[in-house]
Amino acid sequence: MSKEPDRLFAQPLPQVPDFAFNEDVVRVFPDMIKRSVPGYPTIVENLGVLAAQFAQPGSVLYDLGSSLGAVTQALRRHVRTDGCRVIAVDNSAAMVERCREYLNGQDSMFQELLPVEVIEGDILALEFQPASVVALNFTLQFIAPEERLALLGRIRQSLLPGGALILSEKLRFNDPEEHALLTDLHVAFKRANGYSELEIAQKRSAIENVMKPDSLEEHRERLLAAGFSKVVPWFQCLNFASLIALP
Ligand SMILES: Nc1ncnc2c1ncn2[C@@H]1O[C@H](C[S@+](CC[C@H]([NH3+])C(=O)[O-])CC(=O)[O-])[C@@H](O)[C@H]1O
Ligand SMILES: O=C(O)C(=O)Cc1ccccc1
């Protein structure tokens, strides 16, 4: 994957445009996500380990909002269950192009990887096949809030017994003090990773209209309303968390 450092917001912009997963973002994405999302490498690596516990023979594993395929590759490496295959979906043409290149490169480096199909498309329009694992790794927060329940309902309907949804998100907190503390600590995390105050401020304004985090309570209630029976948080680092939802 590209090692280009993220300097997208380093210079003052007369007007900060809404954040989009375009070619500029794709070029710096691995660096951006690692320096912006506390716990990201731990979540991605362990998603493969978790998925291996839920994968059912002959089923599909979905990576929804796959970006450059980091989660897909973790699934392909860790899952050994017979007849499984991975379907990665993203609606950014630039992401999908680079994702395919990356995954093809991995095929030539590792043996025994699960087969994968990368689809350029909207996950809201996807016809789900029977699935044992669905990963939504920092994707639901970019879906319009009014679409989220219906999407989770469709995922729930596609899940096989013994399967799971793994949902990772940035969190909002209902308690104002808790929200302020974890937001400040996230800013400190970004600063420690070399982002300037200007970069942090411009990025905040770029994402505020396109990325709408929910609280843990909202996630839990919506997942139960979508038909999931159990919601188990397995990881939290500052204001970023990952949940397992069981059908
Ligand atoms: N409606 C949609 N349909 C399909 N894709 C979408 C849609 N909306 C947004 N996306 C895609 O969802 C991805 C969100 S990034 C996921 C990181 C990855 N999971 C990772 O673990 O590396 C999260 C982040 O950057 O914070 C982008 O690639 C969008 O194009
Ligand atoms: O950068 C942030 O503040 C975030 O919340 C995470 C993020 C990471 C990558 C793209 C958009 C948002």
Side-chain angles (χ1 to χ4, degrees), residues 86-147:
V86 181
I87 300 182
V89 187
D90 204 290
N91 66 352
S92 156
M95 283 290 188
V96 165
E97 191 187 334
R98 291 292 285 275
C99 181
R100 288 183 176 138
E101 281 173 21
Y102 166 66
L103 294 173
N104 286 339
Q106 297 294 304
D107 274 323
S108 52
M109 278 161 49
F110 294 97
Q111 286 161 353
E112 291 183 49
L113 292 174
L114 293 189
V116 60
E117 178 186 359
V118 184
I119 296 176
E120 182 185 333
D122 184 348
I123 60 172
L124 294 173
L126 198 64
E127 284 215 22
F128 288 98
Q129 303 179 39
S132 56
V133 174
V134 177
L136 271 171
N137 207 41
F138 303 108
T139 301
L140 192 67
Q141 59 199 9
F142 290 100
I143 299 295
E146 64 275 14
E147 304 282 0

Side-chain angles (χ1 to χ4, degrees), residues 146-165:
E146 64 275 14
E147 304 282 0
R148 292 177 190 178
L149 174 60
L151 172 63
L152 294 175
R154 287 196 292 277
I155 292 172
R156 165 66 190 87
Q157 290 312 308
S158 77
L159 273 179
L160 296 164
L165 163 68

